[in-house]
Amino acid sequence: MDIGIIGAGAVGLLFAGYLGKRHNVTVYARRKEQREQLEAYGVTVWREGRRGQTDVQAKSLSAFDSRHDLVILAVKGYDLDESLFITVPTETPLLFLQNGIGHMDLLKTLPYDTVMAASVEHGALKENEHTVLHKGVGATNIALVRGASGPLQRLLEEKDAAFPFVKEDDYEAMLLRKLFINAIINPLTAIAGCVNGEVASNPYYSALIEQAYGELLHLHPHMEEMISLEDIKRVCMNTAQNRSSMLKDVENGRMTEIESILGELVRKTSPRDIPVMNTLYLLVKGKESAGRMT
Ligand code: KPL
């Protein structure tokens, strides 16, 4: 396939590094220096001490190539703005990789023929403009929201054990499942300032995971069959060495994804019903605003 990937952060580079082995990949990056490095060196993926290098093309969005068979949106939820959708033709199949549920309305309302959503369970850390460390092998769960199933089937045919795709039937349940993971692990690691593995192994943080899970389950009781406490702890252990995306955002003084992950939940629910989630939300907002003032 001819694939365009919009966004060249850790996740965008990880997808480019793996998919670029078998597909023709163009990475759309905002900054010229990054595009130059991607063109010159390709994408480097480090996994378990081994280095893989993949050639890609790199362009700015203003040079968008409308012939892609698939466009993967690997930007943060808050960067999914209108200009992207003016650039990409409505016939192009889109795959959304965002955390949280802030983009759920877009999935439903955007006038694109083929729309897919994914929840990414890999641990990835961007080392430099063209290098990503694949710190935890997970899966990319992928569901068709509407339209043709061809691009999704092609991704499912990928046979790389380090970068598997798994088909999901219900995209809303899939996103909600990932929401449980991100709503608990991301704020906790961002506040505690620790890697994912530590929130599961430290008994005090682990107690908070249990309390937060209980609150989320109380709001979405039907999710009990779809995600257990053990599943959340398993994600922590599978990505044990990973610094969550929210921790990295806080450390770098960047805006976090807290709004698309917890914003709606906190606004719709009384703090008395979700004391732990509400506290985590406020603490991340506090860190975020402190970071942006420096
Ligand atoms: O999705 C993640 C993130 O950091 O955003 C997890 C699964 C928690 C991996 O770090």
Side-chain angles (χ1 to χ4, degrees), residues 95-96 98 100-101 103-104 107 116-121 140-145 166-181 223 226-227:
L95 170 59
F96 288 79
Q98 287 65 35
I101 48 170
H103 59 304
M104 194 91 102
L107 295 177
M116 287 160 279
S119 92
V120 180
E121 289 177 357
T140 300
N141 304 303
I142 181 165
L144 191 62
V145 177
V166 175
K167 185 173 182 288
E168 295 272 346
D169 293 324
D170 180 343
Y171 77 94
E172 290 188 287
M174 174 189 78
L175 291 181
L176 215 45
R177 185 176 188 280
K178 182 73 193 311
L179 183 74
F180 267 53
I181 293 169
M223 288 301 291
M226 274 170 264
I227 183 151

Side-chain angles (χ1 to χ4, degrees), residues 151-164:
L152 188 148
Q153 287 305 334
R154 298 284 298 274
L155 291 175
L156 294 173
E157 283 159 18
E158 294 288 310
K159 290 288 172 257
D160 194 331
F163 202 67

